[in-house]
PDB file of all heavy atoms in Angstrom:
ATOM      1  N   HIS U1179      15.327   7.103 -56.817  1.00 87.00           N
ATOM      2  CA  HIS U1179      14.303   7.378 -55.811  1.00 87.00           C
ATOM      3  C   HIS U1179      13.478   6.137 -55.511  1.00 87.00           C
ATOM      4  O   HIS U1179      13.339   5.239 -56.345  1.00 87.00           O
ATOM      5  CB  HIS U1179      13.385   8.499 -56.286  1.00 87.00           C
ATOM      6  CG  HIS U1179      13.993   9.856 -56.174  1.00 87.00           C
ATOM      7  ND1 HIS U1179      13.549  10.943 -56.877  1.00 87.00           N
ATOM      8  CD2 HIS U1179      15.037  10.311 -55.429  1.00 87.00           C
ATOM      9  CE1 HIS U1179      14.275  12.006 -56.571  1.00 87.00           C
ATOM     10  NE2 HIS U1179      15.187  11.643 -55.696  1.00 87.00           N
ATOM     11  N   VAL U1180      12.908   6.114 -54.313  1.00 81.00           N
ATOM     12  CA  VAL U1180      12.080   4.993 -53.896  1.00 81.00           C
ATOM     13  C   VAL U1180      10.798   4.937 -54.718  1.00 81.00           C
ATOM     14  O   VAL U1180      10.328   3.866 -55.088  1.00 81.00           O
ATOM     15  CB  VAL U1180      11.749   5.089 -52.393  1.00 81.00           C
ATOM     16  CG1 VAL U1180      10.774   4.002 -51.976  1.00 81.00           C
ATOM     17  CG2 VAL U1180      13.030   5.000 -51.567  1.00 81.00           C
ATOM     18  N   ASN U1181      10.220   6.099 -55.008  1.00 82.00           N
ATOM     19  CA  ASN U1181       8.995   6.146 -55.802  1.00 82.00           C
ATOM     20  C   ASN U1181       8.898   7.479 -56.526  1.00 82.00           C
ATOM     21  O   ASN U1181       9.688   8.397 -56.291  1.00 82.00           O
ATOM     22  CB  ASN U1181       7.755   5.916 -54.926  1.00 82.00           C
ATOM     23  CG  ASN U1181       7.743   6.847 -53.725  1.00 82.00           C
ATOM     24  OD1 ASN U1181       7.899   8.064 -53.864  1.00 82.00           O
ATOM     25  ND2 ASN U1181       7.559   6.280 -52.541  1.00 82.00           N
ATOM     26  N   ILE U1182       7.918   7.586 -57.399  1.00 82.00           N
ATOM     27  CA  ILE U1182       7.760   8.800 -58.206  1.00 82.00           C
ATOM     28  C   ILE U1182       7.379   9.996 -57.342  1.00 82.00           C
ATOM     29  O   ILE U1182       7.751  11.134 -57.644  1.00 82.00           O
ATOM     30  CB  ILE U1182       6.694   8.564 -59.312  1.00 82.00           C
ATOM     31  CG1 ILE U1182       7.204   7.522 -60.308  1.00 82.00           C
ATOM     32  CG2 ILE U1182       6.383   9.864 -60.044  1.00 82.00           C
ATOM     33  CD1 ILE U1182       6.217   7.202 -61.414  1.00 82.00           C
ATOM     34  N   GLN U1183       6.653   9.755 -56.246  1.00 79.00           N
ATOM     35  CA  GLN U1183       6.254  10.860 -55.374  1.00 79.00           C
ATOM     36  C   GLN U1183       7.475  11.601 -54.847  1.00 79.00           C
ATOM     37  O   GLN U1183       7.492  12.835 -54.764  1.00 79.00           O
ATOM     38  CB  GLN U1183       5.417  10.336 -54.206  1.00 79.00           C
ATOM     39  CG  GLN U1183       4.895  11.431 -53.274  1.00 79.00           C
ATOM     40  CD  GLN U1183       4.003  12.420 -53.992  1.00 79.00           C
ATOM     41  OE1 GLN U1183       3.065  12.019 -54.688  1.00 79.00           O
ATOM     42  NE2 GLN U1183       4.300  13.703 -53.864  1.00 79.00           N
ATOM     43  N   THR U1184       8.508  10.857 -54.502  1.00 75.00           N
ATOM     44  CA  THR U1184       9.742  11.475 -54.042  1.00 75.00           C
ATOM     45  C   THR U1184      10.314  12.375 -55.125  1.00 75.00           C
ATOM     46  O   THR U1184      10.778  13.485 -54.851  1.00 75.00           O
ATOM     47  CB  THR U1184      10.783  10.396 -53.669  1.00 75.00           C
ATOM     48  OG1 THR U1184      10.230   9.536 -52.679  1.00 75.00           O
ATOM     49  CG2 THR U1184      12.052  11.027 -53.128  1.00 75.00           C
ATOM     50  N   THR U1185      10.266  11.916 -56.361  1.00 77.00           N
ATOM     51  CA  THR U1185      10.778  12.701 -57.487  1.00 77.00           C
ATOM     52  C   THR U1185       9.944  13.970 -57.681  1.00 77.00           C
ATOM     53  O   THR U1185      10.496  15.046 -57.904  1.00 77.00           O
ATOM     54  CB  THR U1185      10.751  11.864 -58.779  1.00 77.00           C
ATOM     55  OG1 THR U1185      11.334  10.591 -58.522  1.00 77.00           O
ATOM     56  CG2 THR U1185      11.539  12.554 -59.881  1.00 77.00           C
ATOM     57  N   GLN U1186       8.643  13.851 -57.587  1.00 73.00           N
ATOM     58  CA  GLN U1186       7.777  15.012 -57.774  1.00 73.00           C
ATOM     59  C   GLN U1186       8.074  16.105 -56.759  1.00 73.00           C
ATOM     60  O   GLN U1186       7.959  17.293 -57.055  1.00 73.00           O
ATOM     61  CB  GLN U1186       6.312  14.587 -57.666  1.00 73.00           C
ATOM     62  CG  GLN U1186       5.835  13.777 -58.860  1.00 73.00           C
ATOM     63  CD  GLN U1186       4.413  13.271 -58.687  1.00 73.00           C
ATOM     64  OE1 GLN U1186       4.015  12.890 -57.592  1.00 73.00           O
ATOM     65  NE2 GLN U1186       3.655  13.244 -59.767  1.00 73.00           N
ATOM     66  N   ASN U1187       8.500  15.685 -55.555  1.00 67.00           N
ATOM     67  CA  ASN U1187       8.809  16.680 -54.524  1.00 67.00           C
ATOM     68  C   ASN U1187       9.975  17.576 -54.916  1.00 67.00           C
ATOM     69  O   ASN U1187      10.119  18.684 -54.404  1.00 67.00           O
ATOM     70  CB  ASN U1187       9.126  15.977 -53.199  1.00 67.00           C
ATOM     71  CG  ASN U1187       7.899  15.302 -52.605  1.00 67.00           C
ATOM     72  OD1 ASN U1187       6.769  15.659 -52.938  1.00 67.00           O
ATOM     73  ND2 ASN U1187       8.118  14.328 -51.743  1.00 67.00           N
ATOM     74  N   TYR U1188      10.808  17.102 -55.836  1.00 60.00           N
ATOM     75  CA  TYR U1188      11.919  17.928 -56.307  1.00 60.00           C
ATOM     76  C   TYR U1188      11.414  19.133 -57.090  1.00 60.00           C
ATOM     77  O   TYR U1188      12.110  20.136 -57.211  1.00 60.00           O
ATOM     78  CB  TYR U1188      12.827  17.110 -57.231  1.00 60.00           C
ATOM     79  CG  TYR U1188      13.922  16.373 -56.513  1.00 60.00           C
ATOM     80  CD1 TYR U1188      13.679  15.132 -55.934  1.00 60.00           C
ATOM     81  CD2 TYR U1188      15.194  16.914 -56.408  1.00 60.00           C
ATOM     82  CE1 TYR U1188      14.673  14.449 -55.277  1.00 60.00           C
ATOM     83  CE2 TYR U1188      16.197  16.229 -55.757  1.00 60.00           C
ATOM     84  CZ  TYR U1188      15.934  14.996 -55.189  1.00 60.00           C
ATOM     85  OH  TYR U1188      16.928  14.334 -54.538  1.00 60.00           O
TER      86      TYR U1188
END
Side-chain angles (χ1 to χ4, degrees):
H1179 284 160
V1180 174
N1181 52 51
I1182 294 179
Q1183 183 60 51
T1184 303
T1185 312
Q1186 288 175 322
N1187 292 339
Y1188 271 84

